[in-house]
Amino acid sequence: MTIADVASQPTPDTTTPRSRTASLRRYAMTAPSYFAVEYAINPWMDVTASVDADLAVRQWDELRRTYLSLGHTVDLVEPVGGLPDMVYAANGGLVVGDSAVVARFAYPQRAGEAAAYARWMAAHGFDPVHTEHVNEGQGDLLVAGSIVLAGYGFRTDRRAHDEVERAIGLPLVSLELVDPRFYHLDTALAVLDDTTIAYYPPAFGDDARARIQDLFPDAIEVASADAFVLGLNAVSDGKHVVLPAAATGFAAQLADAGFEPIGVDLSELLKGGGSVKCCTLEVYR
Ligand code: ARG
């Protein structure tokens, strides 16, 4: 190419954000009918804090209605008494195409959820695979295009990554989490579309950070103020990004990048250490 050719190329437009395309999604959610903070298995949980159970249900329902208003499908999983964390449906497993892996929980308090999510999978025509090692479903296993980003360090056992890879047939990229406040991958990284992610770099080990930079050179780096309101615990359809309303800095970054942020308030569910994404199990087609 000569200088003249270069000069005749249109000037790249850096002022108008890229336009983004939404695709219709299918989600599964579990109502917080039995939600409470009865034990503390992550640093966000304080058993002495009071939880407004009715408000938790209303906030959760607002999230469900937000998805419906965007045209998405929401399947409901039957909540089970005595399993107060079951509202965090993302942890129930990983469903991609015809394959489903059901969770094996790290803590005994949540172990009973696995059977409930396996029943839901079976009722929807899946034959769920059980892993030998701990895997906490989409809390730690996030599909990004044709790969799965897989967290380990606090909950999901790295050895489960190979089991999940075999079960679903997509390559996994293992990423080490190093800060207990960001104990699941979905608290520190959000997949925005097949090639775009946002993340909080300090939550990751050095190798994981290098791997993320390599795979996603355009990744959005989120500031501490947004990370500490679980702003990255967000759900994107490729255009609309449903995220905790308090993450205003991240919302501005998303808008600059051409996404449409939609803030929701899940203050009560944050007391259990989860937010938007935790409450949402995506059924990937
Ligand atoms: N209290 C739950 C736990 O500690 C919160 C789970 C949040 N879920 C998530 N996908 N990050 O297990």
Side-chain angles (χ1 to χ4, degrees):
M1 224 189 249
T2 66
I3 294 288
D5 292 334
V6 174
S8 67
Q9 303 269 311
T11 317
D13 184 349
T14 51
T15 50
T16 316
R18 286 187 45 176
S19 76
R20 306 283 177 175
T21 314
S23 59
L24 293 182
R25 308 293 173 122
R26 178 175 166 202
Y27 302 124
M29 296 178 71
T30 310
S33 315
Y34 305 101
F35 176 66
V37 179
E38 290 170 1
Y39 48 79
I41 57 172
N42 70 57
W44 302 79
M45 300 176 86
D46 172 0
V47 291
T48 65
S50 65
V51 172
D52 183 333
D54 294 335
L55 181 58
V57 173
R58 289 201 300 279
Q59 292 176 332
W60 174 88
D61 202 52
E62 183 64 37
L63 175 63
R64 184 184 67 85
R65 282 188 285 119
T66 300
Y67 292 140
L68 295 177
S69 73
L70 293 170
H72 304 311
T73 303
V74 179
D75 292 358
L76 295 178
V77 182
E78 191 61 43
V80 176
L83 296 173
D85 273 340
M86 205 179 151
V87 62
Y88 303 112
N91 297 127
L94 174 67
V95 185
V96 185
D98 297 333
S99 311
V101 176
V102 69
R104 178 178 296 282
F105 285 89
Y107 289 99
Q109 292 94 331
R110 297 196 67 183
E113 295 179 38
Y117 283 103
R119 272 198 303 279
W120 175 82
M121 289 170 182
H124 287 76
F126 298 100
D127 181 11
V129 170
H130 294 259
T131 61
E132 185 187 331
H133 300 288
V134 167
N135 92 77
E136 294 205 347
Q138 284 177 28
D140 279 318
L141 302 165
L142 297 174
V143 176
S146 51
I147 61 173
V148 180
L149 302 175
Y152 70 95
F154 297 102
R155 298 292 181 87
T156 298
D157 187 318
R158 194 178 178 167
R159 290 168 295 179
H161 291 182
D162 296 333
E163 297 183 81
V164 172
E165 191 168 70
R166 278 195 299 277
I168 63 166
L170 291 179
L172 260 72
V173 175
S174 297
L175 301 171
E176 187 189 13
L177 295 164
V178 296
D179 182 330
R181 292 164 297 188
F182 302 98
Y183 58 94
H184 275 141
L185 183 64
D186 71 356
T187 63
L189 186 149
V191 175
L192 302 173
D193 64 27
D194 287 356
T195 56
T196 315
I197 62 137
Y199 74 122
Y200 180 54
F204 294 89
D206 292 343
D207 289 351
R209 273 208 302 275
R211 202 70 213 281
I212 292 170
Q213 281 158 9
D214 195 40
L215 288 167
F216 303 96
D218 300 328
I220 297 176
E221 294 191 12
V222 164
S224 300
D226 294 308
F228 282 94
V229 291
L230 285 190
L232 284 160
N233 200 244
V235 170
S236 174
D237 65 12
K239 178 185 175 79
H240 311 98
V241 182
V242 184
L243 80 166
T248 51
F250 181 34
Q253 288 175 294
L254 287 165
D256 284 346
F259 293 98
E260 206 175 293
I262 301 172
V264 294
D265 182 7
L266 291 181
S267 63
E268 298 315 291
L269 296 165
L270 188 62
K271 294 174 184 170
S275 191
V276 174
K277 171 59 202 171
C278 297
C279 295
T280 313
L281 178 74
E282 180 159 356
V283 181
Y284 294 98
R285 300 183 209 268

PDB file of all heavy atoms in Angstrom, residues 41-42 45 85 88 90-91 110 136 139 155 183-184 186-187 233 272-274 278, ligand 1:
ATOM      1  N   ILE A  41     -20.226 -18.785  53.789  1.00  0.00           N
ATOM      2  CA  ILE A  41     -19.252 -19.562  53.018  1.00  0.00           C
ATOM      3  C   ILE A  41     -18.506 -18.684  52.023  1.00  0.00           C
ATOM      4  O   ILE A  41     -17.760 -19.175  51.185  1.00  0.00           O
ATOM      5  CB  ILE A  41     -19.918 -20.769  52.310  1.00  0.00           C
ATOM      6  CG1 ILE A  41     -21.060 -20.312  51.392  1.00  0.00           C
ATOM      7  CG2 ILE A  41     -20.412 -21.789  53.332  1.00  0.00           C
ATOM      8  CD1 ILE A  41     -21.638 -21.440  50.519  1.00  0.00           C
ATOM      9  N   ASN A  42     -18.740 -17.367  52.098  1.00  0.00           N
ATOM     10  CA  ASN A  42     -17.931 -16.419  51.327  1.00  0.00           C
ATOM     11  C   ASN A  42     -17.891 -15.120  52.123  1.00  0.00           C
ATOM     12  O   ASN A  42     -18.731 -14.905  53.008  1.00  0.00           O
ATOM     13  CB  ASN A  42     -18.491 -16.252  49.895  1.00  0.00           C
ATOM     14  CG  ASN A  42     -19.814 -15.511  49.872  1.00  0.00           C
ATOM     15  OD1 ASN A  42     -19.921 -14.390  50.359  1.00  0.00           O
ATOM     16  ND2 ASN A  42     -20.845 -16.139  49.303  1.00  0.00           N
ATOM     17  N   MET A  45     -21.012 -12.850  53.110  1.00  0.00           N
ATOM     18  CA  MET A  45     -22.117 -13.341  53.941  1.00  0.00           C
ATOM     19  C   MET A  45     -21.853 -13.026  55.405  1.00  0.00           C
ATOM     20  O   MET A  45     -20.800 -13.356  55.934  1.00  0.00           O
ATOM     21  CB  MET A  45     -22.296 -14.855  53.744  1.00  0.00           C
ATOM     22  CG  MET A  45     -22.613 -15.234  52.301  1.00  0.00           C
ATOM     23  SD  MET A  45     -22.702 -17.025  52.016  1.00  0.00           S
ATOM     24  CE  MET A  45     -24.416 -17.366  52.439  1.00  0.00           C
ATOM     25  N   ASP A  85     -29.419 -20.939  49.417  1.00  0.00           N
ATOM     26  CA  ASP A  85     -28.618 -20.366  48.319  1.00  0.00           C
ATOM     27  C   ASP A  85     -29.080 -20.831  46.939  1.00  0.00           C
ATOM     28  O   ASP A  85     -28.446 -20.511  45.928  1.00  0.00           O
ATOM     29  CB  ASP A  85     -27.136 -20.756  48.487  1.00  0.00           C
ATOM     30  CG  ASP A  85     -26.364 -19.775  49.371  1.00  0.00           C
ATOM     31  OD1 ASP A  85     -26.817 -18.621  49.545  1.00  0.00           O
ATOM     32  OD2 ASP A  85     -25.287 -20.169  49.882  1.00  0.00           O
ATOM     33  N   TYR A  88     -29.195 -18.822  43.602  1.00  0.00           N
ATOM     34  CA  TYR A  88     -28.035 -18.557  42.731  1.00  0.00           C
ATOM     35  C   TYR A  88     -27.935 -19.674  41.688  1.00  0.00           C
ATOM     36  O   TYR A  88     -27.067 -20.547  41.748  1.00  0.00           O
ATOM     37  CB  TYR A  88     -26.759 -18.427  43.569  1.00  0.00           C
ATOM     38  CG  TYR A  88     -26.878 -17.348  44.625  1.00  0.00           C
ATOM     39  CD1 TYR A  88     -26.913 -17.665  45.982  1.00  0.00           C
ATOM     40  CD2 TYR A  88     -26.989 -16.006  44.258  1.00  0.00           C
ATOM     41  CE1 TYR A  88     -27.046 -16.677  46.953  1.00  0.00           C
ATOM     42  CE2 TYR A  88     -27.138 -15.012  45.224  1.00  0.00           C
ATOM     43  CZ  TYR A  88     -27.165 -15.362  46.566  1.00  0.00           C
ATOM     44  OH  TYR A  88     -27.305 -14.384  47.520  1.00  0.00           O
ATOM     45  N   ALA A  90     -27.013 -19.909  38.699  1.00  0.00           N
ATOM     46  CA  ALA A  90     -25.826 -20.080  37.847  1.00  0.00           C
ATOM     47  C   ALA A  90     -24.973 -21.240  38.332  1.00  0.00           C
ATOM     48  O   ALA A  90     -24.315 -21.919  37.542  1.00  0.00           O
ATOM     49  CB  ALA A  90     -24.983 -18.804  37.840  1.00  0.00           C
ATOM     50  N   ASN A  91     -25.003 -21.464  39.648  1.00  0.00           N
ATOM     51  CA  ASN A  91     -24.149 -22.510  40.212  1.00  0.00           C
ATOM     52  C   ASN A  91     -24.666 -23.919  39.968  1.00  0.00           C
ATOM     53  O   ASN A  91     -23.956 -24.884  40.257  1.00  0.00           O
ATOM     54  CB  ASN A  91     -23.981 -22.292  41.723  1.00  0.00           C
ATOM     55  CG  ASN A  91     -23.273 -20.992  42.023  1.00  0.00           C
ATOM     56  OD1 ASN A  91     -23.767 -20.177  42.787  1.00  0.00           O
ATOM     57  ND2 ASN A  91     -22.143 -20.768  41.397  1.00  0.00           N
ATOM     58  N   ARG A 110     -24.615 -26.518  50.473  1.00  0.00           N
ATOM     59  CA  ARG A 110     -25.247 -26.360  49.151  1.00  0.00           C
ATOM     60  C   ARG A 110     -25.356 -27.693  48.395  1.00  0.00           C
ATOM     61  O   ARG A 110     -25.913 -27.718  47.287  1.00  0.00           O
ATOM     62  CB  ARG A 110     -24.475 -25.341  48.301  1.00  0.00           C
ATOM     63  CG  ARG A 110     -24.479 -23.931  48.889  1.00  0.00           C
ATOM     64  CD  ARG A 110     -24.055 -22.882  47.856  1.00  0.00           C
ATOM     65  NE  ARG A 110     -25.035 -22.747  46.784  1.00  0.00           N
ATOM     66  CZ  ARG A 110     -24.886 -21.954  45.729  1.00  0.00           C
ATOM     67  NH1 ARG A 110     -23.787 -21.231  45.593  1.00  0.00           N
ATOM     68  NH2 ARG A 110     -25.819 -21.878  44.796  1.00  0.00           N
ATOM     69  N   GLU A 136     -18.729 -25.654  40.319  1.00  0.00           N
ATOM     70  CA  GLU A 136     -19.894 -24.856  40.716  1.00  0.00           C
ATOM     71  C   GLU A 136     -20.524 -24.175  39.500  1.00  0.00           C
ATOM     72  O   GLU A 136     -20.893 -22.994  39.529  1.00  0.00           O
ATOM     73  CB  GLU A 136     -19.531 -23.918  41.870  1.00  0.00           C
ATOM     74  CG  GLU A 136     -19.211 -24.734  43.134  1.00  0.00           C
ATOM     75  CD  GLU A 136     -19.395 -24.024  44.462  1.00  0.00           C
ATOM     76  OE1 GLU A 136     -19.538 -22.785  44.478  1.00  0.00           O
ATOM     77  OE2 GLU A 136     -19.391 -24.730  45.491  1.00  0.00           O
ATOM     78  N   GLY A 139     -21.017 -20.423  37.888  1.00  0.00           N
ATOM     79  CA  GLY A 139     -20.288 -19.512  38.764  1.00  0.00           C
ATOM     80  C   GLY A 139     -18.839 -19.416  38.303  1.00  0.00           C
ATOM     81  O   GLY A 139     -18.234 -18.347  38.304  1.00  0.00           O
ATOM     82  N   ARG A 155     -13.536 -22.377  44.584  1.00  0.00           N
ATOM     83  CA  ARG A 155     -14.653 -23.318  44.547  1.00  0.00           C
ATOM     84  C   ARG A 155     -14.365 -24.452  43.550  1.00  0.00           C
ATOM     85  O   ARG A 155     -14.058 -25.561  43.961  1.00  0.00           O
ATOM     86  CB  ARG A 155     -15.952 -22.599  44.188  1.00  0.00           C
ATOM     87  CG  ARG A 155     -16.355 -21.531  45.208  1.00  0.00           C
ATOM     88  CD  ARG A 155     -16.759 -22.139  46.527  1.00  0.00           C
ATOM     89  NE  ARG A 155     -17.173 -21.146  47.493  1.00  0.00           N
ATOM     90  CZ  ARG A 155     -18.410 -20.669  47.606  1.00  0.00           C
ATOM     91  NH1 ARG A 155     -19.357 -21.089  46.805  1.00  0.00           N
ATOM     92  NH2 ARG A 155     -18.698 -19.778  48.535  1.00  0.00           N
ATOM     93  N   TYR A 183     -14.663 -15.031  44.656  1.00  0.00           N
ATOM     94  CA  TYR A 183     -14.461 -16.469  44.839  1.00  0.00           C
ATOM     95  C   TYR A 183     -14.981 -17.298  43.679  1.00  0.00           C
ATOM     96  O   TYR A 183     -14.660 -18.471  43.556  1.00  0.00           O
ATOM     97  CB  TYR A 183     -15.133 -16.899  46.157  1.00  0.00           C
ATOM     98  CG  TYR A 183     -16.605 -16.564  46.177  1.00  0.00           C
ATOM     99  CD1 TYR A 183     -17.554 -17.502  45.797  1.00  0.00           C
ATOM    100  CD2 TYR A 183     -17.039 -15.276  46.496  1.00  0.00           C
ATOM    101  CE1 TYR A 183     -18.892 -17.181  45.752  1.00  0.00           C
ATOM    102  CE2 TYR A 183     -18.383 -14.946  46.446  1.00  0.00           C
ATOM    103  CZ  TYR A 183     -19.292 -15.894  46.077  1.00  0.00           C
ATOM    104  OH  TYR A 183     -20.622 -15.572  46.013  1.00  0.00           O
ATOM    105  N   HIS A 184     -15.857 -16.712  42.868  1.00  0.00           N
ATOM    106  CA  HIS A 184     -16.329 -17.378  41.647  1.00  0.00           C
ATOM    107  C   HIS A 184     -15.894 -16.518  40.466  1.00  0.00           C
ATOM    108  O   HIS A 184     -15.896 -15.281  40.564  1.00  0.00           O
ATOM    109  CB  HIS A 184     -17.867 -17.438  41.596  1.00  0.00           C
ATOM    110  CG  HIS A 184     -18.500 -18.588  42.316  1.00  0.00           C
ATOM    111  ND1 HIS A 184     -19.659 -18.450  43.042  1.00  0.00           N
ATOM    112  CD2 HIS A 184     -18.165 -19.904  42.383  1.00  0.00           C
ATOM    113  CE1 HIS A 184     -20.008 -19.627  43.531  1.00  0.00           C
ATOM    114  NE2 HIS A 184     -19.114 -20.526  43.149  1.00  0.00           N
ATOM    115  N   ASP A 186     -17.542 -15.608  37.965  1.00  0.00           N
ATOM    116  CA  ASP A 186     -18.567 -14.642  37.535  1.00  0.00           C
ATOM    117  C   ASP A 186     -18.685 -13.433  38.459  1.00  0.00           C
ATOM    118  O   ASP A 186     -19.513 -12.558  38.242  1.00  0.00           O
ATOM    119  CB  ASP A 186     -19.930 -15.333  37.319  1.00  0.00           C
ATOM    120  CG  ASP A 186     -20.602 -15.765  38.609  1.00  0.00           C
ATOM    121  OD1 ASP A 186     -20.020 -15.623  39.704  1.00  0.00           O
ATOM    122  OD2 ASP A 186     -21.746 -16.275  38.520  1.00  0.00           O
ATOM    123  N   THR A 187     -17.880 -13.386  39.527  1.00  0.00           N
ATOM    124  CA  THR A 187     -17.830 -12.178  40.349  1.00  0.00           C
ATOM    125  C   THR A 187     -16.739 -11.225  39.856  1.00  0.00           C
ATOM    126  O   THR A 187     -16.675 -10.078  40.293  1.00  0.00           O
ATOM    127  CB  THR A 187     -17.545 -12.511  41.835  1.00  0.00           C
ATOM    128  OG1 THR A 187     -16.244 -13.125  41.935  1.00  0.00           O
ATOM    129  CG2 THR A 187     -18.589 -13.456  42.420  1.00  0.00           C
ATOM    130  N   ASN A 233     -20.914  -9.068  37.959  1.00  0.00           N
ATOM    131  CA  ASN A 233     -21.852 -10.177  38.011  1.00  0.00           C
ATOM    132  C   ASN A 233     -23.062  -9.817  37.132  1.00  0.00           C
ATOM    133  O   ASN A 233     -24.174  -9.589  37.601  1.00  0.00           O
ATOM    134  CB  ASN A 233     -22.248 -10.430  39.469  1.00  0.00           C
ATOM    135  CG  ASN A 233     -22.801 -11.809  39.669  1.00  0.00           C
ATOM    136  OD1 ASN A 233     -23.957 -11.982  40.014  1.00  0.00           O
ATOM    137  ND2 ASN A 233     -21.990 -12.812  39.415  1.00  0.00           N
ATOM    138  N   GLY A 272     -25.933 -12.442  50.208  1.00  0.00           N
ATOM    139  CA  GLY A 272     -25.475 -13.834  50.119  1.00  0.00           C
ATOM    140  C   GLY A 272     -24.222 -13.952  49.271  1.00  0.00           C
ATOM    141  O   GLY A 272     -23.689 -15.042  49.076  1.00  0.00           O
ATOM    142  N   GLY A 273     -23.777 -12.823  48.723  1.00  0.00           N
ATOM    143  CA  GLY A 273     -22.556 -12.847  47.899  1.00  0.00           C
ATOM    144  C   GLY A 273     -22.833 -13.065  46.427  1.00  0.00           C
ATOM    145  O   GLY A 273     -21.975 -13.564  45.700  1.00  0.00           O
ATOM    146  N   GLY A 274     -24.034 -12.671  45.990  1.00  0.00           N
ATOM    147  CA  GLY A 274     -24.345 -12.864  44.572  1.00  0.00           C
ATOM    148  C   GLY A 274     -25.177 -11.728  44.024  1.00  0.00           C
ATOM    149  O   GLY A 274     -25.749 -10.943  44.775  1.00  0.00           O
ATOM    150  N   CYS A 278     -25.265 -14.466  39.114  1.00  0.00           N
ATOM    151  CA  CYS A 278     -25.427 -15.613  40.016  1.00  0.00           C
ATOM    152  C   CYS A 278     -26.855 -16.155  39.979  1.00  0.00           C
ATOM    153  O   CYS A 278     -27.069 -17.347  40.169  1.00  0.00           O
ATOM    154  CB  CYS A 278     -25.100 -15.221  41.449  1.00  0.00           C
ATOM    155  SG  CYS A 278     -23.419 -14.703  41.714  1.00  0.00           S
TER     156      CYS A 278
HETATM  157  N1  ARG B   1     -23.875 -17.807  48.912  1.00  0.00           N
HETATM  158  C1  ARG B   1     -23.526 -18.390  47.659  1.00  0.00           C
HETATM  159  C2  ARG B   1     -22.218 -19.145  47.797  1.00  0.00           C
HETATM  160  O1  ARG B   1     -21.344 -18.648  48.464  1.00  0.00           O
HETATM  161  C3  ARG B   1     -23.421 -17.344  46.606  1.00  0.00           C
HETATM  162  C4  ARG B   1     -23.199 -17.900  45.238  1.00  0.00           C
HETATM  163  C5  ARG B   1     -23.081 -16.842  44.192  1.00  0.00           C
HETATM  164  N2  ARG B   1     -23.115 -17.396  42.902  1.00  0.00           N
HETATM  165  C6  ARG B   1     -22.294 -17.080  41.890  1.00  0.00           C
HETATM  166  N3  ARG B   1     -22.534 -17.586  40.725  1.00  0.00           N
HETATM  167  N4  ARG B   1     -21.226 -16.342  42.088  1.00  0.00           N
HETATM  168  O2  ARG B   1     -22.033 -20.200  47.270  1.00  0.00           O
END
